[in-house]
Amino acid sequence: MILPTLLMLCVGFAQEPSEQLQRALVSEEADERYFAALELATGDSKAEKWLLRHAGKGTPEERRTLLLAAALMGTEDSLGLVEKAAQKGRKPTPERAFALVLYGAMHPEAGLNVKKEWARAGTDFERACLLAGLLAQPQRLADPAWQKLIAKRKASGLQEIYDIAAMLRGETWSDAPRNLSALGARLLSTHLPGVTGVRPELAMSKGDSVIPSLWKVGARYSPPRKADELMGQALVDGRIALVLSLYEVEGAECQALFDHFRTRTVGALEAGWLWGAAGDLGLKLPAPDGGKLRDCVVAGILRLGLLDFKRARATAMPYLPAARKAFQSNLAMQRRLPAAILMAFGGEDVDKTALKAAFLAASGGDRQMLQPVWKFANRSLGTVRKNWLESWSRELGAGWIGFLDKEGPRWVAYQLVGGTVAAEGREEIATPYPKLQLVPKDYAGDHLLYRDLAVLLLDGVYRWGLKQ
C-alpha cells in the first residue's frame, strides 16, 4: 500500500535522472537501489520515458530496481511494465517473483480475475509472492475462488497468507490456530477493528524461541490484563509492546497507564505506538515539558483530531512555540513536516504566514509535502481532511496502525525471506523462527533476490491494507 505522503519524502525532478542517480540505480547495495527507485518514481514524464527505455535491461538486480520505480510511479505505462513482468512464463524467475509482489500490492487490477491471476505464478513461492502483495489490497482476495484454489494446492504457507487477508477484511478467526505461523498472524490481528482479543493462555503458550515476544506481548488480550501488573514491567526488548495494552484497559486505569508509560518510553517506535493509542482513545495528553517537539506528540494529537478535532486543536496550542522553533531549523523538510502539521493544526495567523512563505519558496518534493499542510492551516482541505490526518499519523507510526505497519511486513518477510542469507543481515528477521517460515523457496538461500525482497517488505513501501 502506498500512502499519499510516502513518495514526497524524495525530491522530485523534471528531467532524466542524473548520473549520480543512475549510478545508485545499479548499486550493489540493495538499500541504495531501493532509495534510488523511490527518487526516480518522483520524476516527471522525461523520467518516465527514461524508465520505459531502460526497463528490462542490465543485471537482474537492476531490472528489479526499475520495476520497483515503475510500480511507484503508478502511470498506465509504468504499471504495464510491472504487469508484463508478472506474466506467466515457462519457468520461474526471480524477476517474476519480485514483480508478483509489486503487482499484487500496487496494480489497480490485481486480483480481480482469479483464474488469470493464479495462472501467473508457476510455483508455490511465486503464489506466495502474489498473495503477499495482495495483502495490501485484501478485498481483492474476497472471491471464494481464491480459497478453493489455495485449498486444492495444500501448499505450505499459502493458507496462512490468505487467512491474514480475511482478517484484514473483518472476517473472524478461531482461537485455535493450526500452526505457529497462524498463531503469530492471530496475535497481530487482535488490533484490527472489530477483532476480539486472544485468551492470555493462548498468547503465552509458546516460548520466545519459537515466536517473537513482541507479538505475544503486543497482542490485545481478553480478558484484559490488570493495569497494576502492566505498570510493574520494564519497557525493554519485546516488552516495549506493552504500551499497546492501553487498548485493553478501561476508564481511569487507561489514563493512569498512559501517564505511567509516557515517562518510561525510550525509543521513538514505542513512543509513537503509545501516544497514538492515547489519541485514539481520547485520553488527556499532557502539556509540553519545555523540551523539543517529539514526533510522537504530533502523532497523538493527529489521532485525537480524528476523534475530537476541537480538543485536539486545544491540545496542540501549548506546543506551538516548540513547533515554530523546530520548523525554523535547518533540517530537511521531511524532518520538519511534523512541526509544520502541528502549526497547521493551530491555524494561527503567524503560522499560516510562515507556512505560506515556506510553500511558495519550496520546489519539487518539499512543495508537494507542504501544499496539503498549508491548505490544512487555512481549513481548506474540505472532505479530505480526515484522509490527511490518517495519512500523516500513519507516517508517524501512531498507535496500533504503526505497530501493524512494522510487524505485518515482518510476518510476511519471515514467509518469503526467512532463513536466507539476506535475513541474517536484517535485524527484524535475523532471529530464526523456523516454524514461521512455511513458504518453500525457489532459490538457494544466498540468492540476491532475497535481499531485494527484504528491502521491499521492510523499508516502508509495502504495508498491509488497514481499515482505520
Side-chain angles (χ1 to χ4, degrees):
M1 182 178 185
I2 302 303
L3 302 179
T5 55
L6 180 59
L7 293 183
M8 296 180 189
L9 300 182
C10 296
V11 178
F13 55 92
Q15 58 187 11
E16 290 191 356
S18 65
E19 290 186 7
Q20 180 181 6
L21 178 54
Q22 291 185 44
R23 287 195 298 271
L25 289 167
V26 299
S27 170
E28 293 183 359
E29 298 298 326
D31 284 333
E32 187 173 354
R33 287 188 284 106
Y34 167 83
F35 286 110
L38 291 183
E39 183 174 346
L40 178 59
T42 66
D44 66 356
S45 59
K46 291 184 178 179
E48 183 183 9
K49 289 179 180 178
W50 183 92
L51 172 62
L52 295 174
R53 288 199 309 270
H54 288 79
K57 300 177 182 178
T59 66
E61 291 71 49
E62 294 166 27
R63 295 198 298 272
R64 291 195 291 271
T65 302
L66 294 184
L67 280 177
L68 173 57
L72 295 172
M73 195 168 281
T75 66
E76 182 178 354
D77 287 341
S78 65
L79 287 172
L81 291 176
V82 178
E83 194 277 335
K84 183 179 180 181
Q87 287 181 352
K88 181 181 180 180
R90 285 184 290 182
K91 62 179 182 178
T93 68
E95 185 174 330
R96 183 162 68 246
F98 191 76
L100 284 167
V101 179
L102 296 175
Y103 174 78
M106 303 180 200
H107 199 286
E109 297 181 4
L112 296 179
N113 186 328
V114 180
K115 185 176 180 181
K116 180 180 178 181
E117 305 295 51
W118 189 255
R120 291 178 183 276
T123 67
D124 288 331
F125 178 72
E126 290 188 347
R127 293 182 186 97
C129 288
L130 174 61
L131 293 174
L134 286 168
L135 290 180
Q137 307 185 81
Q139 70 280 4
R140 300 294 175 84
L141 289 170
D143 191 322
W146 283 108
Q147 174 63 60
K148 292 179 181 178
L149 289 168
I150 291 169
K152 186 176 180 180
R153 283 296 309 169
K154 298 180 180 179
S156 180
L158 299 187
Q159 185 66 51
E160 286 71 20
I161 300 175
Y162 175 83
D163 287 343
I164 286 278
M167 291 300 295
L168 293 172
R169 294 194 304 271
E171 298 178 19
T172 304
W173 268 358
S174 73
D175 267 359
R178 68 178 61 84
N179 52 45
L180 286 174
S181 183
L183 174 59
R186 175 69 180 94
L187 296 175
L188 294 176
S189 78
T190 59
H191 293 292
L192 297 171
V195 176
T196 59
V198 294
R199 293 175 287 106
E201 57 268 27
L202 175 68
M204 305 307 292
S205 62
K206 303 296 181 181
D208 293 348
S209 63
V210 295
I211 198 167
S213 62
L214 198 69
W215 299 355
K216 297 190 299 179
V217 173
R220 187 165 56 87
Y221 287 29
S222 181
R225 289 166 282 189
K226 301 295 184 182
D228 56 350
E229 296 176 0
L230 293 165
M231 291 181 187
Q233 301 186 54
L235 298 179
V236 295
D237 300 325
R239 290 200 297 277
I240 62 172
L242 283 171
V243 299
L244 294 164
S245 61
L246 259 64
Y247 291 108
E248 287 179 39
V249 300
E250 299 175 352
E253 280 196 338
C254 190
Q255 182 70 53
L257 193 60
F258 169 63
D259 292 338
H260 174 83
F261 280 151
R262 69 179 175 81
T263 62
R264 290 163 173 80
T265 51
V266 176
L269 191 66
E270 60 267 30
W273 300 343
L274 176 67
W275 282 74
D280 284 336
L281 297 167
L283 301 182
K284 182 180 179 181
L285 304 181
D289 58 7
K292 294 181 179 179
L293 180 67
R294 300 168 66 198
D295 287 357
C296 62
V297 174
V298 182
I301 293 174
L302 285 168
R303 297 307 295 182
L304 180 60
L306 290 165
L307 188 68
D308 185 336
F309 187 83
K310 185 177 180 180
R311 270 189 63 202
R313 183 176 183 272
T315 303
M317 299 302 285
Y319 284 96
L320 291 182
R324 291 165 186 151
K325 184 176 181 180
F327 189 67
Q328 293 168 359
S329 73
N330 293 322
L331 296 175
M333 182 56 67
Q334 66 194 61
R335 291 300 310 131
R336 292 187 285 149
L337 188 63
I341 294 169
L342 203 62
M343 291 164 61
F345 229 113
E348 298 285 278
D349 287 341
V350 63
D351 296 319
K352 287 191 283 188
T353 299
L355 291 171
K356 180 180 180 180
F359 169 68
L360 294 176
S363 60
D366 286 357
R367 191 178 181 88
Q368 286 180 292
M369 276 189 281
L370 285 171
Q371 184 178 36
V373 178
W374 181 34
K375 287 185 176 181
F376 178 36
N378 287 280
R379 303 300 183 256
S380 59
L381 280 178
T383 58
V384 300
R385 185 180 76 179
K386 177 178 181 290
N387 295 338
W388 278 105
L389 294 182
E390 288 176 344
S391 176
W392 286 326
S393 67
R394 190 170 186 179
E395 290 292 344
L396 292 173
W400 67 270
I401 297 171
F403 178 73
L404 288 186
D405 276 347
K406 178 180 180 296
E407 296 305 310
R410 183 185 177 201
W411 184 93
V412 174
Y414 267 116
Q415 298 296 322
L416 302 185
V417 186
T420 68
V421 173
E424 297 173 2
R426 294 290 310 217
E427 181 181 0
E428 304 95 324
I429 54 175
T431 301
Y433 294 104
K435 293 186 178 181
L436 292 180
Q437 301 154 195
L438 300 181
V439 175
K441 308 293 192 295
D442 282 348
Y443 309 100
D446 60 352
H447 200 288
L448 296 179
L449 165 66
Y450 301 119
R451 290 198 309 179
D452 287 342
L453 281 174
V455 171
L456 171 64
L457 295 171
L458 297 171
D459 281 5
V461 165
Y462 171 86
R463 292 173 180 174
W464 288 351
L466 301 176
K467 294 180 180 180
Q468 299 197 49

